[in-house]
Amino acid sequence: MNTLINDDRGTSSPSRPFELPASNQRLLGPPHPANTVLPLALRPSPSTPKPTLEAVLTTIHTLQKEHHLTKHLSCHGALLFRNLPIHNAEDFSAFAQAFNFAPHEIIGIVVDRPVLAPNSLTHQNTSFSTGTAPPPPEGSGGETPLSSSLELFRRAQREIPSFIDNIAEKGILSRAFGKEWVAGDDEATKRRKVEAQIRRYGRGEHTTWEWLQDGSGRMKLVLEHRLPAIRTQPGRNLPALFTGLAAYWKRVQVADARGKGTRQLFGDGSPIPEEDLEALASITGEIRVLHRWVECDVLVIDNLVAQHGREPWRGEQADRIVLASLFDGPVVPGAYGFGDWAQVVQAAD
């Protein structure tokens, strides 16, 4: 197992690796180095006194001075921290900010996510996640699937090469928009604010939109982004499938049964073959693990190297609290293939 450098100067080290059950952790295949696991699970040494939050933050700062945690995150894709004194949104916020990453600004998602502490939101599918409630009963769901985007690309390239060729050449179409409306905004103001957010994507001619009138006379936005679904890992230049197509396809199967399904499209507007999406979903299912949350767990995920999601939660929402925090890496991922549309860009200020 690849491990972090242990900090033996005190009792605060969260860098002691330990093994998880096979359903929660697996050895990754190529192109990962041999014996690389997802996630890398870390906890304080059981022989030391229980660390304080201040001591844990000091250790994180120390390790990050030489980018130790970042390096191992880029290798494993996800780090699981367990048995740390992180019990609420304020603790979680302090821990996340100790990594010294730049906070990420959400653009293009209209779901309201209450902020409970600095850069700490009530949502799961993001870069830092922590469960602050007691572990759920068996069978209640709510697990977080984790899989390697690097391994997924390698498997897909071997098993569905025509899909990789097409998605590298064409990209995919994505539809999303952000809003900054406040009470009292009229329709013209709302449209102006939405369009200002869209322009911040910085994708030029590869983002198009128009306002259409629906059956009730209200205006709705139809927006399309042509985005790269394959991106390369900075520093290693390894291609990763950066897309939720497999999860989208599974949701479409449910929606189709209700007569509400939508097709997934390549960047040129042509439909992605159903058999390719089914194969992609099958591969993803084979290489994933399910993280079953334990109280005060923290998952730190490199969203380029590892994909994650959420299994349905069948318990009471009040019995389960999951917080999340988003941060940007020091550089944007690289392009795969040709065309200016394939390059990832930072949103404009």
Side-chain angles (χ1 to χ4, degrees):
M1 177 187 293
N2 291 336
T3 61
L4 298 177
I5 295 174
N6 290 328
D7 182 358
D8 293 320
R9 289 168 294 174
T11 63
S12 62
S13 175
S15 56
R16 305 285 182 176
F18 69 101
E19 292 187 3
L20 296 169
S23 59
N24 291 41
Q25 186 183 57
R26 65 180 289 269
L27 288 172
L28 296 172
H32 293 275
N35 299 318
T36 302
V37 294
L38 174 72
L40 176 61
L42 305 167
R43 64 185 176 191
S45 172
S47 63
T48 60
K50 188 174 182 179
T52 65
L53 179 61
E54 182 180 1
V56 168
L57 300 183
T58 298
T59 299
I60 296 296
H61 281 300
T62 300
L63 291 171
Q64 278 294 78
K65 284 182 179 179
E66 300 298 328
H67 306 290
H68 290 313
L69 296 174
T70 301
K71 291 174 183 176
H72 287 274
L73 185 60
S74 69
C75 179
H76 294 269
L79 307 179
L80 167 65
F81 294 90
R82 180 163 287 176
N83 294 346
L84 299 187
I86 298 174
H87 304 288
N88 52 48
E90 289 74 19
D91 294 345
F92 173 57
S93 174
F95 180 82
Q97 294 184 79
F99 283 74
N100 201 32
F101 297 137
H104 175 74
E105 179 187 4
I106 299 174
I107 301 175
I109 300 177
V110 298
V111 177
D112 290 326
R113 298 172 175 175
V115 177
L116 303 183
N119 208 28
S120 181
L121 315 171
T122 56
H123 191 72
Q124 180 171 344
N125 297 339
T126 43
S127 298
F128 280 74
S129 296
T130 182
T132 62
E138 290 285 352
S140 58
E143 301 92 349
T144 293
L146 294 168
S147 59
S148 165
S149 302
L150 307 179
E151 185 179 4
L152 180 61
F153 174 87
R154 182 70 67 92
R155 284 279 303 270
Q157 188 179 47
R158 184 174 72 240
E159 298 174 30
I160 41 177
S162 61
F163 167 75
I164 292 296
D165 289 344
N166 278 319
I167 212 164
E169 179 185 350
K170 303 173 182 178
I172 59 173
L173 281 187
S174 174
R175 297 179 174 92
F177 73 98
K179 64 181 177 68
E180 291 185 343
W181 301 343
V182 296
D185 282 352
D186 58 23
E187 285 300 316
T189 300
K190 290 179 179 179
R191 289 174 64 173
R192 177 178 55 78
K193 288 185 174 181
V194 167
E195 291 180 6
Q197 287 287 83
I198 294 171
R199 291 188 180 94
R200 292 188 59 200
Y201 282 111
R203 299 201 59 81
E205 64 184 15
H206 306 302
T207 293
T208 61
W209 72 91
E210 62 178 327
W211 294 92
L212 300 176
Q213 196 171 63
D214 64 17
S216 64
R218 294 179 301 181
M219 299 300 293
K220 68 175 184 178
L221 177 69
V222 178
L223 177 144
E224 292 183 342
H225 300 291
R226 186 183 183 188
L227 298 173
I230 304 174
R231 306 177 184 188
T232 57
Q233 186 184 18
R236 301 172 74 192
N237 206 36
L238 292 171
L241 263 178
F242 188 85
T243 172
L245 283 175
Y248 297 154
W249 181 81
K250 287 186 175 182
R251 288 200 292 268
V252 165
Q253 308 316 298
V254 175
D256 274 347
R258 302 172 181 167
K260 298 180 180 179
T262 58
R263 301 277 69 81
Q264 302 301 311
L265 305 177
F266 287 121
D268 63 357
S270 60
I272 301 176
E274 289 289 306
E275 58 269 24
D276 289 347
L277 294 171
E278 184 176 9
L280 190 67
S282 177
I283 296 170
T284 302
E286 291 176 17
I287 66 174
R288 78 173 187 173
V289 295
L290 289 175
H291 174 66
R292 188 168 185 272
W293 290 88
V294 173
E295 185 176 5
C296 302
D297 273 0
V298 179
L299 274 175
V300 185
I301 302 168
D302 185 324
N303 282 324
L304 178 67
V305 181
Q307 298 186 346
H308 64 290
R310 180 180 58 192
E311 292 293 284
W313 168 246
R314 293 181 288 275
E316 295 293 332
Q317 190 59 50
D319 296 334
R320 182 173 188 267
I321 302 172
V322 179
L323 308 176
S325 191
L326 286 78
F327 292 84
D328 290 332
V331 295
V332 298
Y336 182 87
F338 304 97
D340 57 350
W341 63 269
Q343 180 59 57
V344 180
V345 296
Q346 290 278 23
D349 294 330

